[in-house]
DNA sequence: CTAATCTCAGCAGAACTGAAATTG
DNA sequence: CCAATTTCAGTTTTGCTGAGATTA
């Protein structure tokens, strides 16, 4: 009675397994899972990292600017800043120059936290790329970078949407 | 000052742009968009293709078997089969051997439809990979294939997490 | 009685929309 | 009056869970 319920990626038809778009999708899913697991173990998620990283690289910024720099939707950023501020990893203060804005500033604890998350992310990347040699990793990153760059700014159809 | 959403990928911090996991994520998002657009123009989506392709490659099957072969959740497959059956691209008949099951069969129209969708998908892959040479495409597919193969054998209860 | 199959109703989370409140 | 910013409430989409009905 037991049907071939044994599962596994190899159960998929060849035409599905070999489609580049599907390979990308699956590889991306694994990457997301690894990153989410690593960060989750430290009670963080990718948006925490993105926000802290943008603050370290560009300095204090309004939420609108952060939204543009991280790709996090203006609406969801509110919750992210709430969480970071609750742990005193960032400070949210009204902008004296334009009082519609908040200025978000990285604290010392936030910078330490960022470095911790960078470490966890590096672990996830290492796990993700573990089957590849150093040369192959560079190849992959190069090829992906070209794909993303090509489609990021006005592809064949139109564009300017990247998310 | 800025328009609401002017973010190109280049607005992102370097640490985010260069992360392999993020590159995968973005490349995958572009791939998904291209595929969805192509198939959407023909009023189809990826599950339709996956189902028709699995039926052509493995022949008639129960919904449970199809679910295993396509990665479509048993619950969502019901709706997919409904849609395909409504257009007479597949036939759903009770299995005379085990009456708990339905046997799903590809019709002649379904096979024609599959070939149409294959064509649209090929177009999407071509757009997706357009910045790469033939050799580079093979490299990319090879590298992605190894990543996916490596991570497909380890997760707990794995299997249906990909698409 | 237990297990597999199909089906449906609803949940969970992630990204987005719309609008109110405030300020420029 | 119009535009930008922050915030919140609610919608949409997507994959999944749980349970009921049927049959083995």
């Amino acid at each position: 009675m037991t049907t071939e319920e044994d599962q596994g990626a190899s159960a998929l038809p060849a035409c599905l397994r070999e489609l580049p778009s599907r390979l990308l999708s699956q590889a991306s899913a694994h990457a997301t899972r690894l990153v989410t697991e690593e960060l989750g173990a430290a009670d963080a998620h990718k948006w925490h990292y993105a926000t802290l990283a943008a603050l370290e690289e560009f300095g204090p910024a309004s939420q609108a600017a952060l939204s543009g720099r991280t790709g996090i939707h203006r609406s969801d950023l509110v919750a992210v800043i709430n969480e970071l501020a609750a742990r005193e990893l960032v400070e949210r203060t009204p902008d004296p120059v334009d009082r519609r804005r908040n200025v978000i500033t990285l604290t010392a604890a936030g910078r330490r936290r960022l470095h911790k998350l960078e470490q966890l992310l590096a672990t996830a990347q290492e796990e993700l790329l573990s089957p590849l040699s150093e040369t192959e990793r560079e190849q992959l990153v190069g090829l992906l970078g070209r794909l993303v760059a090509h489609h990021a700014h006005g592809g064949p159809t139109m564009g300017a949407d990247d998310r």
Side-chain angles (χ1 to χ4, degrees), chain A:
Chain A
M1 285 314 184
T2 331
T3 49
E4 56 282 71
E5 189 58 60
D6 68 339
Q7 267 295 99
S10 42
L12 295 165
C15 44
L16 285 181
R17 259 174 323 189
E18 293 165 4
L19 263 190
S21 59
R22 188 162 177 125
L23 282 173
L24 268 175
S25 224
Q26 296 200 235
S28 166
H30 285 296
T32 300
R33 179 177 52 77
L34 289 169
V35 165
T36 303
E37 281 172 9
E38 279 296 324
L39 293 182
D43 216 49
H45 52 73
K46 56 184 167 160
W47 286 350
H48 293 166
Y49 171 72
T51 304
L52 296 175
L55 285 174
E56 171 159 86
E57 180 149 337
F58 296 110
S62 73
Q63 293 182 198
L66 269 181
S67 176
R69 283 167 193 169
T70 57
I72 303 174
H73 196 276
R74 72 196 200 282
S75 202
D76 299 316
L77 191 55
V78 174
V80 173
I81 305 287
N82 285 345
E83 290 162 16
L84 294 174
R87 297 178 207 178
E88 306 193 328
L89 303 174
V90 303
E91 234 187 344
R92 176 197 256 145
T93 55
D95 186 336
V97 177
D98 180 343
R99 285 168 48 211
R100 293 171 303 185
R101 295 179 176 166
N102 295 326
V103 178
I104 311 299
T105 315
L106 195 57
T107 65
R111 184 166 279 107
R112 285 195 299 275
R113 175 70 163 171
L114 171 59
H115 296 147
K116 172 66 176 169
L117 297 189
E118 272 167 353
Q119 211 175 307
L120 296 176
L121 268 181
T123 305
Q125 308 304 308
E126 171 56 37
E127 287 179 60
L128 172 65
L129 301 176
S130 60
L132 305 186
S133 73
E134 191 49 49
T135 317
E136 289 168 331
R137 296 178 189 199
E138 284 161 15
Q139 260 180 18
L140 179 64
V141 167
L143 294 170
L144 289 175
R146 283 172 53 203
L147 281 196
V148 170
H150 177 263
H151 293 289
H153 41 60
T157 45
M158 59 135 256
D161 175 33
D162 165 26
R163 156 209 110 100

